[in-house]
Amino acid sequence: MAEKEKLTIVMFSGDLDRALAGFIIATTAASMGMDVSIFFTFWGLNVIKKNEGSIKSKGLMRKMLNLINRGGSKRLTLSKFNMLGMGTWMMKKLMKEVNMPSLDELITMAHQMGVKLVACTTTCGVMGLPEDAFRSEVTSMAGAAYFLGEAREAKATLFI
Amino acid sequence: MAEKEKLTIVMFSGDLDRALAGFIIATTAASMGMDVSIFFTFWGLNVIKKNEGSIKSKGLMRKMLNLINRGGSKRLTLSKFNMLGMGTWMMKKLMKEVNMPSLDELITMAHQMGVKLVACTTTCGVMGLPEDAFRSEVTSMAGAAYFLGEAREAKATLFI
Amino acid sequence: MAEKEKLTIVMFSGDLDRALAGFIIATTAASMGMDVSIFFTFWGLNVIKKNEGSIKSKGLMRKMLNLINRGGSKRLTLSKFNMLGMGTWMMKKLMKEVNMPSLDELITMAHQMGVKLVACTTTCGVMGLPEDAFRSEVTSMAGAAYFLGEAREAKATLFI
């Protein structure tokens, strides 16, 4: 049996629009039979944080950071035209009108289609993020070496 | 005859500086004999909108969106140091002084060199963009599957 | 002897967080035996500017640009949560606490591990940046054709 073609994505950004682009590409690739992995790092970790509850981290600075940088797919905003939330609200409404799945639904779909969602251990260490800060669809935690191992075998690698 | 090496670009951003980087890479690759395609999605569609006329879309929200998010290569601004337009104006002047082509000219050059310019149908659907919103150099409209088809054969893929 | 696998990065951005991501990936790849090159263009040139002294460029506009766009690894700020420098200061402190090297140290490490650091001649021409504006770790200056030559042989190419 021929091996599946790979696609690797580094999700660096925590903006709603960039996350949507990443997950639309990832789910489309999976539906075309590709083997997809997304490596979440820096602000990108916000995309896969749980939407509920608070994040328990140690030390005053990390507690503060995780308050102002709360994350969760339902809290993300557009990188442009957020306009105090109005632009983001409008974009979500326009997507619904043309029956596009929400980011939250895309993450679940991606997981069900076998897309690997991996959280960057280094950023988690710096930001004080425990493993239970992330939603259940996240398959594992790993470092940059894991990402490079995937990238060197991939047909395409995207830094989003 | 050997097949040409491919380069694929996803143009997600609608900033002048990122668009310039994309088109300089695209035209250089074409001049080196590579087969280049650029897939415009989200804010990136602003790069290939017509500079003249208004965009006719249906529904109040889409009409509003296409007013504030007008686009067109001559209206784009820098992602940094725009400074109410002064930074963007300065950058264009500096480029002219060293005889660099403008973004508008680069788009025409790219088209003449055979670079494929493709607009993302999904974003066009969400934003209510009709086909005639785009300039004549745009060769077709297609979805993420088209982009992935190109990316899996490409020597390099860039997400800009 | 088998040839080394290549990784190529275009560093377009001059944000501290994006530069850190790029150099962590680059040094990890080098430690895994990959042949890595980083091509600095547009705001990315700020990452490799000297931290000391002033930049000598010709003409009023270029002098002004290089004053407001000073650059240098120690002056870069986060793309998000900079908060007048407080967020950037906090991030540096958090990195130190978990014994992560600073950006400045990562650049030196990358150079010692053989990562090629290349400044884009085209942007240098537009912005009026002389060769001595860059730190000693920068190995050469070249154009987009050089980058594409590396990218077409690379296992992965990232646009950061």
Side-chain angles (χ1 to χ4, degrees), chain B residues 2-159:
Chain B
E3 239 187 284
K4 280 180 166 189
E5 291 184 333
K6 280 188 184 217
L7 172 74
T8 318
I9 296 172
V10 185
M11 183 66 72
F12 170 90
S13 163
D15 299 315
L16 176 61
D17 39 7
R18 292 188 168 254
L20 282 170
F23 272 94
I24 291 169
I25 293 173
T27 49
T28 308
S31 75
M32 290 165 73
M34 293 182 83
D35 186 15
V36 187
S37 64
I38 313 182
F39 183 70
F40 297 85
T41 187
F42 282 74
W43 316 112
L45 289 172
N46 283 351
V47 180
I48 48 168
K49 283 183 189 164
K50 278 180 190 158
N51 285 305
E52 313 79 30
S54 60
I55 292 166
K56 281 163 199 80
S57 40
K58 284 167 189 163
L60 183 63
M61 271 209 296
R62 290 189 173 80
K63 275 190 213 300
M64 268 173 55
L65 175 66
N66 290 321
L67 258 176
I68 57 168
N69 184 40
R70 175 58 184 83
S73 63
K74 293 179 181 174
R75 282 188 197 85
L76 305 185
T77 55
L78 293 177
S79 65
K80 286 182 71 136
F81 299 118
N82 181 42
M83 304 185 292
L84 302 171
M86 210 182 75
T88 298
W89 172 84
M90 203 165 91
M91 184 62 76
K92 286 182 182 177
K93 214 168 144 61
L94 293 178
M95 284 172 56
K96 216 170 192 171
E97 266 185 42
V98 293
N99 295 316
M100 259 191 69
S102 68
L103 178 57
D104 206 61
E105 290 163 339
L106 280 167
I107 297 175
T108 306
M109 274 171 59
H111 175 68
Q112 286 166 350
M113 294 168 94
V115 173
K116 275 171 279 174
L117 307 179
V118 181
C120 169
T121 39
T122 310
T123 318
C124 287
V126 172
M127 296 193 174
L129 290 171
E131 227 180 305
D132 68 3
F134 301 110
R135 45 198 296 162
S136 60
E137 288 93 343
V138 175
T139 30
S140 61
M141 296 180 73
Y146 164 82
F147 153 67
L148 284 158
E150 296 281 303
R152 84 206 311 186
E153 291 177 13
K155 284 286 175 181
T157 304
L158 305 173
F159 187 98

Side-chain angles (χ1 to χ4, degrees), chain C residues 5 18 34 62 64 72 78 93 98 110 117 140:
Chain C
E5 290 184 333
R18 292 189 168 253
M34 294 181 84
R62 289 189 173 80
M64 269 173 55
L78 294 177
K93 215 167 143 63
V98 293
L117 307 179
S140 60

